[in-house]
């Protein structure tokens, strides 16, 4: 008898568990909306009207016209009539240092972040909940106190920067590559100290392992890194170094971040956009596989027609103490420091000096912008990234200013949105995200306006879906204690 009771208890527990499991994984259906076509780098426009999108176990399982798709019984159905359905946004380079940044990103529709640990963005927080999907970025081939392996006893001494970062030999670099891949690293940052031979070696081995490479070069000439097959060129203000002459490039091998770098960067910003070298370099970039990741957001306050981003609802989540060089809360402008001795001058003189620095910074940003207009004319591929929370860029919020700046540069709204979604899937072979298509991760935004008409409509988020789960977007504006 006792065995019979145990059997019945086990049987009912099994049945109940099955019912609960079924109820927890019941399909989610988005019915009646327009799936926005973001394929072919945003150049296609075959939107799917009156659609049905079925989500199950965190994946998109079916997409098609409502007239042909059968909605599963027991599914949760969200009526999307008159709405627009797009993938969640991907921020290709940013920090992710805590719950506040996680919430700000999600509130603004950023469902994936390529996250960097560095001295300006802090350490990546892998424990935030909820959180965008985190794709880890790590440095490679160079001593770096912020490397993901820096605290590993096997690496601590070797990766300690000391007075000057040193390159690792190929054997150590290969071991570092294998060890960081075990941590889940999906992107390698090839920084200013990495020399040309090691850049070529790292890119080749990373691609064999299916790992993406970002180039922010100095010692390595940009043309060498591009020909080696680097996947993306990071930061307006950096990749323009590809226009410098050989006599400015050679000293960068010994001095990639010092006075030689300052001279080279100053040259690259001052070369006239009409210079033949700029046009030829832009054409060279466009003809190769490297995509541009401008992070215009870092220059947003220095370019015309900007606004105070502290007025955004999601900005209330953020603490300026945890941001590097944040804008002034009252004005939305970057503050410019003056020398200590200048603080003894009259206030009017101090303000004059501060405005002089602001004017100089604005002029520098505009020179870079004009050069990037020449790059755009060569028709390269673009990837959207904010660089937040650095130099006025805000987590989540600045992904939308990035889209606005890409449209201002000349991309259509659809192309700009593709730069934050489907372009990543194509450029990096990340076939788990970036499209509303079967097999993709169910990171989805339902919008109350056509994003192909104006990129501003990407902000009009009605439903936010992360890994197949519908999130309470307004609740994200309150941080849990």
């Amino acid at each position: 008898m006792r065995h019979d009771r145990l059997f019945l208890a086990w049987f009912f527990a099994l049945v109940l568990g099955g019912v609960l499991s079924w109820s927890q994984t019941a399909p989610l259906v988005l019915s009646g909306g327009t799936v926005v076509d973001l394929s072919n780098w945003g150049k296609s426009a075959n939107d799917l009207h009156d659609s049905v999108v079925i989500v199950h176990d965190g994946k998109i399982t079916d997409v098609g016209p409502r007239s042909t798709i059968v909605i599963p019984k027991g599914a949760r159905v969200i009526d999307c009539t008159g709405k627009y359905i797009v993938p969640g946004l991907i921020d290709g380079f940013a920090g992710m240092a805590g719950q506040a940044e996680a919430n700000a990103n999600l509130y603004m529709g950023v469902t994936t972040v390529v996250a960097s640990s560095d001295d300006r963005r802090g350490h990546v927080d892998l424990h935030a909940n909820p959180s965008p999907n985190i794709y880890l970025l790590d440095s490679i081939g160079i001593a770096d106190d912020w490397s993901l392996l820096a605290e590993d006893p096997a690496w601590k001494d070797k990766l300690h920067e000391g007075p000057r970062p040193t390159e690792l030999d190929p054997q150590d670099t290969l071991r570092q590559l294998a060890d960081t891949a075990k941590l889940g690293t999906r992107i390698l940052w090839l920084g200013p100290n990495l020399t040309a031979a090691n850049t070529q070696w790292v890119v080749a081995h990373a691609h064999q392992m299916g790992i993406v490479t970002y180039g922010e070069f100095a010692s390595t000439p940009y043309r060498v890194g591009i020909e080696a097959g680097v996947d993306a060129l990071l930061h307006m203000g950096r990749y323009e170094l590809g226009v410098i002459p050989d006599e400015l490039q050679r000293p960068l091998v010994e001095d990639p971040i010092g006075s030689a770098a300052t001279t080279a960067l100053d040259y690259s910003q001052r070369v006239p956009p009409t210079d033949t070298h700029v046009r030829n370099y832009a054409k060279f970039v466009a003809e190769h596989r490297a995509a541009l990741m401008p992070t215009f957001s870092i220059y947003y306050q220095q370019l015309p027609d900007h606004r105070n981003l502290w007025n955004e609802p999601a900005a209330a989540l953020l603490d300026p103490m945890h941001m590097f060089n944040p804008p002034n809360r009252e004005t939305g402008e970057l503050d410019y420091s003056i020398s200590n001795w200048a603080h003894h001058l009259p206030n009017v003189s101090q303000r004059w000096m501060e405005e002089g620095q602001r004017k100089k910074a604005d002029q520098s940003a505009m020179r870079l912008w004009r050069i990037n207009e020449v790059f755009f004319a060569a028709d390269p591929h673009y990837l959207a990234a904010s660089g937040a929370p650095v130099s006025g860029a805000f987590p989540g919020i600045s992904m939308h200013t990035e889209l606005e700046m890409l449209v201002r540069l000349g991309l259509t709204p659809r192309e700009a949105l593709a730069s934050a979604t489907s372009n990543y899937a194509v450029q990096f072979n990340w076939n788990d995200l970036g499209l509303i298509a079967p097999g993709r991760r169910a990171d989805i935004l339902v919008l109350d306006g056509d994003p192909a008409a104006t990129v501003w409509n990407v902000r009009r988020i009605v439903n936010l879906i992360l890994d197949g789960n519908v999130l309470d977007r307004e609740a994200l504006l309150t941080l849990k204690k």
Side-chain angles (χ1 to χ4, degrees), residues 83 155 461:
K83 306 297 190 289
W155 284 101
I461 302 170

Side-chain angles (χ1 to χ4, degrees), residues 338 342-355:
I338 56 177
H343 289 286
H344 298 290
L345 298 173
N347 288 339
V348 64
S349 299
Q350 293 183 43
R351 287 195 296 271
W352 179 81
M353 294 178 71
E354 291 168 355
E355 285 305 310

Side-chain angles (χ1 to χ4, degrees), residues 402-416:
E402 194 71 20
L403 298 182
E404 294 168 29
M405 299 302 288
L406 286 166
V407 170
R408 188 185 303 182
L409 186 67
L411 272 68
T412 67
R414 191 186 297 269
E415 289 169 338

Side-chain angles (χ1 to χ4, degrees), residues 465-477:
I465 300 168
L466 177 70
D467 291 320
N469 300 304
V470 181
L471 301 189
D472 183 344
R473 185 166 174 254
E474 291 306 313
L476 293 169
L477 293 177

Side-chain angles (χ1 to χ4, degrees), residues 369-380:
W369 181 261
R370 299 302 181 201
I371 291 172
N372 273 267
E373 289 179 325
V374 179
F375 277 81
F376 169 77
D379 197 25

Side-chain angles (χ1 to χ4, degrees), residues 223 243 275-287 374:
R223 287 178 178 266
V243 305
D275 191 293
T276 304
H277 293 90
V278 176
R279 292 197 300 273
N280 289 342
Y281 177 50
K283 183 179 179 183
F284 176 81
V285 171
E287 289 174 345
V374 179

